[in-house]
Amino acid sequence: MPIHDWTRVDAGLFHAFHQGWIIRLSDALNEGVLPRDYFALPEQSIQGPIPDVLTLRLSSDSDEAGGTGVGLAVATAPPRTRLVRYAEDRVYVRKQDRIVVRHRHGQVVAVVEIVSPGNKASTGELRTFVEKTSDLIMQDVHLLVIDLFPPSKRDPQVIHKAIWDQIKEEDFELPPERRLTLASYDAGPPPIAYVELAAVGEKLSDMPLFLKPGFYVPTPLETTYQERWGHVPAPIKKLLETRCGDASQQP
């Protein structure tokens, strides 16, 4: 299933797709992807704007690194992404007063955010999104950001750079043929960003969702996107399937 060019339809139509995808992604995580004691919930309030999917841990007991149910180890199965970026301890400024992000059902360990046009609709909206997501990383909450929209004048170097600049400013060159971004953040310490660049007409890569530093589960983005697409009304499919293999996009 190729990634569709969602800039060709009204933002409200993507919002409808987005809501169904969130639910299907949450279900898939709970149907065997997440280990024991972890579970996902869609659109739960923690602090600030509501995230799309929360991954929580029911038990606060420590489990052994590499033990049952902690996912894949980066050391033995490194995520396959085009870019990996590190924020060394010396440039990663932690708050002295640590904040543990909690939900009434457990401790929040990871958040999944699917970027919508509204997140880039104004400078204020983008700033809110960037501050929310970067704050989560600084609070030791792992993060996965899925942006199926090309850069706007407000994020000309993709949403990942806007988020990462809050942690470590560095140059980022965006290939003109790959303007969509999938970014997974291991909160560390130190934080590590795994970035995959995509294009309209390509399949979605299954990105890592970190549950603890150095350990992750693969997030089934492609299969859940396909399943959600199967329920899209035919008239909307027609709008998006025309020339869906054309990977070019206009800003």
Side-chain angles (χ1 to χ4, degrees), residues 6-27:
W6 289 98
T7 65
R8 300 175 61 187
V9 297
D10 183 86
L13 296 181
F14 179 77
H15 179 68
F17 179 86
H18 169 275
Q19 287 185 308
W21 191 15
I22 289 167
I23 293 170
R24 186 64 202 106
L25 185 55
S26 180
D27 288 344

Side-chain angles (χ1 to χ4, degrees), residues 83-86 157-158 160-162 164-165 168-175 195 197:
L83 303 172
V84 181
R85 294 290 184 266
Y86 299 86
Q157 292 299 311
V158 305
H160 159 70
K161 178 167 173 54
W164 196 243
D165 277 354
K168 178 184 179 181
E169 290 192 39
E170 59 184 9
D171 293 336
F172 182 84
E173 186 173 345
L174 179 66
V195 183
L197 302 175

Side-chain angles (χ1 to χ4, degrees), residues 122-174:
S122 68
T123 302
E125 290 288 348
L126 180 63
R127 183 186 305 113
T128 297
F129 182 85
V130 168
E131 290 177 352
K132 175 188 72 170
T133 49
S134 60
D135 282 350
L136 287 171
I137 297 170
M138 290 192 178
Q139 294 164 14
D140 294 339
V141 176
H142 309 292
L143 177 67
L144 173 58
V145 175
I146 304 159
D147 187 3
L148 300 187
F149 289 87
S152 68
K153 62 183 180 181
R154 300 179 186 90
D155 65 328
Q157 292 299 311
V158 305
I159 199 76
H160 159 70
K161 178 167 173 54
I163 295 170
W164 196 243
D165 277 354
Q166 303 298 304
I167 298 168
K168 178 184 179 181
E169 290 192 39
E170 59 184 9
D171 293 336
F172 182 84
E173 186 173 345
L174 179 66

Side-chain angles (χ1 to χ4, degrees), residues 16-78:
F17 179 86
H18 169 275
Q19 287 185 308
W21 191 15
I22 289 167
I23 293 170
R24 186 64 202 106
L25 185 55
S26 180
D27 288 344
L29 290 171
N30 291 325
E31 291 168 358
V33 174
L34 290 173
R36 184 184 59 182
D37 292 339
Y38 292 83
F39 60 99
L41 294 175
E43 297 186 323
Q44 297 287 305
S45 178
I46 46 173
Q47 57 185 39
I50 297 174
D52 288 328
V53 179
L54 287 182
T55 300
L56 301 104
R57 189 176 183 200
L58 189 62
S59 172
S60 60
D61 297 334
S62 298
D63 47 14
E64 298 179 4
T68 302
V70 293
L72 301 173
V74 170
T76 57

Side-chain angles (χ1 to χ4, degrees), residues 51-118:
D52 288 328
V53 179
L54 287 182
T55 300
L56 301 104
R57 189 176 183 200
L58 189 62
S59 172
S60 60
D61 297 334
S62 298
D63 47 14
E64 298 179 4
T68 302
V70 293
L72 301 173
V74 170
T76 57
R80 297 182 178 181
T81 57
R82 294 175 187 273
L83 303 172
V84 181
R85 294 290 184 266
Y86 299 86
E88 298 86 355
D89 283 325
R90 63 185 177 83
V91 298
Y92 181 54
V93 181
R94 285 190 171 275
K95 298 176 181 177
Q96 291 184 350
D97 297 325
R98 295 288 297 280
I99 300 173
V100 178
V101 182
R102 292 189 180 274
H103 183 272
R104 64 184 181 278
H105 296 312
Q107 181 178 340
V108 178
V109 297
V111 165
V112 179
E113 288 282 3
I114 301 174
V115 178
S116 67

